[in-house]
Amino acid sequence: MDHFEYRGGVLHAEDVPLPLIAAEVGTPVYVYSRATLTRHARVFRDALKVLPRVHLAFAVKSNPNLAVLKVLAAEGYGADVVSAGEMDRALAAGIPAADVVFSGVGKTAAEMRRALAAGCGQFNLESEEEGAELAEIAGGMGLVATATLRINPDVDAGTHAKISTGKAENKFGVPYDRAAGIYARLSGLPGLNLRGLALHIGSQLAKLDPLEAAFTKAGALMHAIRADGFAVTHMDLGGGVGVPYRAGEVFPQPAEYAAMLARVTQGWDATLMFEPGRVITGNTGVLLTEVVRVKQGALHPWVVVDAAMNDLARPAMYDAWHDFSAVTPRGTMMTANIVGPICESSDTFAMAREIDTVARGDLAVFRTAGAYGATMANTYNSRPMVPEVMVDGAKWAVVADRIEPSTILSAERVPAWLA
Ligand SMILES: *Cc1c(COP(=O)(O)O)cnc(C)c1O
């Protein structure tokens, strides 16, 4: 459920008509609904209340906007970060360092030092090598790093290959059958407080079965490690719950996810940690765009919009579908290809799609663009960095400026020997 609805034939974000935002900020622009964000954060959090001890760490990479993080901090979410930059954002939003989980396969020594100095709550180690390095750095600082060991459960998440992370051939975590040995060796290191296991098998999961299979394997490993005499008090079960991108698609509900967790983790006696991203932010945003022109095509017309793959990369990267709706529908439909202005054929949002009839100058939205949208934006083709707006009832504000190509140009230098 979201708060992007038609009123009097005009698409609104909560109480704000989208043409107003387009007129004042320009297009393309991401528009987030605070009510939708809060609602998703609460539904997920409340569903997991059937579990005894839970720690929620929002996956910052899905939407790192400071205003978004502020809302989630107020809802009691910690943060799952994958870089020092993301950690800085989480801290700037007021998320306590103790509630920050640092994930990622390539944490640098400098990032480890900074996170330790800030009081980062947990490092999710991706390898034995990383654990040894972290232990040494923490020891050198007179600190003990709290950590879990990420395992690769070798389970097929059944999602797009580029967002599948839990198969043996993926770069993430340590191999399942070597994990107990690595856990034992890392547990012996001063400078490291290894307290559990972590896993994350992929994103945009349409079914709970792969998660259940992975959690079951993780539980068995947890018991084996305890039987070896090592403590396992925390189990970080990652993120990955998918969301519907097409009207009519059915995805697992948070309550079903929670029921599965209650069944699988029964008797674990561990704090369960979660790193939800898309399920919290996916539905909370749309990308508002204007039709530049409609060009005649061989088979179907080309609807050229002013948003492009640099603003919303998912279709180009993952063949992803985003529903497309006119802001002021005319009541008729057309079959068209929707493309952006970038000089790449992959700058295509949809082919042969049945859409609201649109013409030059019309506004439209790509829906479900709140996760992995603005966060992946870039300035390819020397386009501006796309801005972001948050709506809250009848209030709205720009929460990220459009960064103009001139600003980026001003950061470039011509060396004296070329002048
Ligand atoms: C990306 C990521 C997440 C969030 O995934 P979603 O599918 O958005 O829930 C959580 N944990 C880790 C380690 C990740 O890399």
Side-chain angles (χ1 to χ4, degrees):
M1 209 209 101
D2 63 44
H3 291 80
F4 297 97
E5 284 169 349
Y6 289 100
R7 292 191 197 166
V10 178
L11 189 60
H12 283 58
E14 303 191 24
D15 298 333
V16 179
L18 291 178
L20 177 71
I21 294 173
E24 301 218 359
V25 185
T27 54
V29 56
Y30 279 92
V31 181
Y32 305 132
S33 154
R34 191 243 162 108
T36 310
L37 179 59
T38 306
R39 180 174 185 279
H40 282 265
R42 289 183 184 165
V43 166
F44 191 82
R45 186 189 65 200
D46 292 348
L48 297 191
K49 282 186 177 154
V50 298
L51 305 168
R53 295 195 301 283
V54 168
H55 180 272
L56 293 172
F58 170 65
V60 172
K61 78 174 191 282
S62 75
N63 189 325
N65 181 277
L66 194 55
V68 168
L69 296 181
K70 270 273 181 204
V71 171
L72 295 176
E75 294 299 325
Y77 279 75
D80 172 57
V81 305
V82 294
S83 69
E86 285 191 353
M87 181 184 74
D88 290 346
R89 286 173 170 276
L91 299 179
I95 294 173
D99 293 338
V100 173
V101 174
F102 206 130
S103 298
V105 73
K107 302 174 200 76
T108 65
E111 284 178 316
M112 289 177 183
R113 255 181 244 113
R114 278 186 57 193
L116 283 164
C120 175
Q122 178 175 300
F123 293 84
N124 287 355
L125 303 172
E126 297 260 359
S127 64
E128 182 166 7
E129 296 85 345
E130 182 193 340
E133 188 173 340
L134 178 64
E136 198 178 309
I137 291 171
M141 295 169 75
L143 298 170
V144 175
T146 298
T148 66
L149 180 63
R150 180 168 177 177
I151 57 166
N152 185 320
D154 195 18
V155 167
D156 186 350
T159 186
H160 192 280
K162 287 183 184 164
I163 45 175
S164 189
T165 56
K167 284 284 286 168
E169 64 264 30
N170 297 131
K171 69 180 175 180
F172 300 99
V174 300
Y176 184 79
D177 51 9
R178 291 186 48 219
I182 294 172
Y183 200 97
R185 289 192 291 279
L186 290 180
S187 292
L189 297 180
L192 210 57
N193 166 29
L194 194 57
R195 67 176 184 182
L197 299 173
L199 67 160
H200 172 74
I201 62 169
S203 196
Q204 184 53 8
L205 272 60
K207 296 228 156 50
L208 294 176
D209 308 7
L211 287 169
E212 179 160 1
F215 298 161
T216 302
K217 284 185 90 166
L221 185 59
M222 174 193 74
H223 290 303
I225 290 170
R226 283 179 179 162
D228 289 345
F230 301 99
V232 180
T233 58
H234 290 69
M235 293 290 285
D236 186 335
L237 302 180
V241 178
V243 300
Y245 280 92
R246 299 172 74 144
E249 274 180 345
V250 179
F251 269 73
Q253 294 299 304
E256 298 168 82
Y257 179 58
M260 177 273 281
L261 286 162
R263 187 170 69 244
V264 174
T265 66
Q266 204 179 359
W268 276 20
D269 188 26
T271 296
L272 302 180
M273 304 177 70
F274 298 93
E275 303 166 349
R278 190 189 311 266
V279 73
I280 306 294
T281 49
N283 237 338
T284 66
V286 297
L287 174 57
L288 178 60
T289 186
E290 184 178 310
V291 176
V292 176
R293 70 178 53 85
V294 180
K295 166 185 154 160
Q296 206 177 2
L299 212 56
H300 301 295
W302 299 95
V303 172
V304 185
V305 296
D306 66 0
M309 62 188 282
N310 70 301
D311 306 306
L312 177 61
R314 298 189 65 257
M317 274 181 82
Y318 313 129
D319 307 307
W321 176 291
H322 285 270
D323 277 344
F324 180 83
S325 317
V327 167
T328 313
R330 297 157 189 270
T332 56
M333 305 294 283
M334 67 196 278
T335 302
N337 308 321
I338 309 170
V339 297
I342 284 185
C343 298
E344 299 265 351
S345 290
S346 57
D347 188 21
T348 298
F349 292 108
M351 290 298 283
R353 179 94 66 93
E354 176 91 348
I355 58 169
D356 293 323
T357 302
V358 288
R360 179 179 188 280
D362 282 5
L363 294 171
V365 295
F366 292 102
R367 293 182 182 263
T368 322
Y372 306 104
T375 179
M376 285 189 185
N378 60 68
T379 62
Y380 184 41
N381 275 206
S382 289
R383 290 165 52 82
M385 190 70 160
V386 64
E388 298 161 85
V389 160
M390 184 180 281
V391 172
D392 186 357
K395 295 193 294 279
W396 66 274
V398 173
V399 295
D401 291 345
R402 188 185 309 280
I403 301 175
E404 296 295 346
S406 58
T407 304
I408 293 166
L409 186 59
S410 71
E412 295 180 18
R413 305 280 171 263
V414 176
W417 39 266
L418 277 183

